[in-house]
């Protein structure tokens, strides 16, 4: 169950990074809405991360959480913010995914 919470926490990390990107692109009231979304996603992500670390090793949980956030944020950047998707970016994202899967595989809890 805590692995599921950790994955959801990572997805909310992607959410708060995406909201920051949109807040930077907008002005006025729209910017405040995106910043509010950032704060909400940040709070949910942190609460779920804390919950997950009650039974998972902190080093593994934090690495997986940041890895999900990093991979997701790069993909959001590519698909929604028109960031480059060159070979090396995709190669290193793939190695990051392999590392996350590897951490899950060697963690006994």
């Amino acid at each position: 169950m805590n692995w599921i919470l950790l994955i959801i926490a990572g997805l909310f990390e992607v959410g708060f990074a995406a909201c920051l990107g949109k807040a930077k692109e907008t002005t006025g009231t729209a910017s405040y809405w995106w910043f509010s979304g950032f704060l909400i996603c940040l709070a949910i992500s942190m609460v779920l991360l804390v919950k997950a670390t009650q039974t998972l090793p902190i080093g593994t949980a934090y690495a997986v959480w940041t890895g999900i956030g990093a991979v997701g944020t790069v993909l959001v950047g590519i698909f929604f913010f028109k960031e480059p998707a060159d070979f090396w970016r995709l190669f290193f994202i793939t190695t990051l995914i392999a590392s996350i899967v590897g951490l899950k595989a060697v963690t006994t809890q």
Side-chain angles (χ1 to χ4, degrees):
M1 178 64 178
N2 284 321
W3 281 103
I4 293 169
L5 293 178
L6 186 60
I7 291 167
I8 295 168
L11 294 174
F12 274 100
E13 184 183 6
V14 175
F16 74 70
C19 286
L20 274 181
K22 290 300 285 183
K24 183 178 78 171
E25 290 181 349
T26 58
T27 59
T29 305
S31 181
Y32 291 119
W33 282 110
W34 285 112
F35 187 68
S36 297
F38 161 77
L39 293 174
I40 292 166
C41 287
L42 176 66
I44 293 169
S45 183
M46 291 297 154
V47 167
L48 293 174
L49 177 62
V50 167
K51 181 70 176 157
T53 59
Q54 291 175 349
T55 59
L56 298 173
I58 186 69
T60 300
Y62 185 75
V64 170
W65 177 74
T66 57
I68 292 168
V71 169
T73 302
V74 168
L75 293 175
V76 165
I78 290 169
F79 291 115
F80 296 103
F81 295 108
K82 307 299 184 237
E83 293 178 359
D86 60 34
F87 171 79
W88 288 112
R89 282 188 88 186
L90 298 177
F91 172 78
F92 287 117
I93 286 299
T94 303
T95 61
L96 185 54
I97 293 168
S99 297
I100 294 167
V101 171
L103 280 172
K104 167 70 171 97
V106 299
T107 301
T108 57
Q109 295 178 327

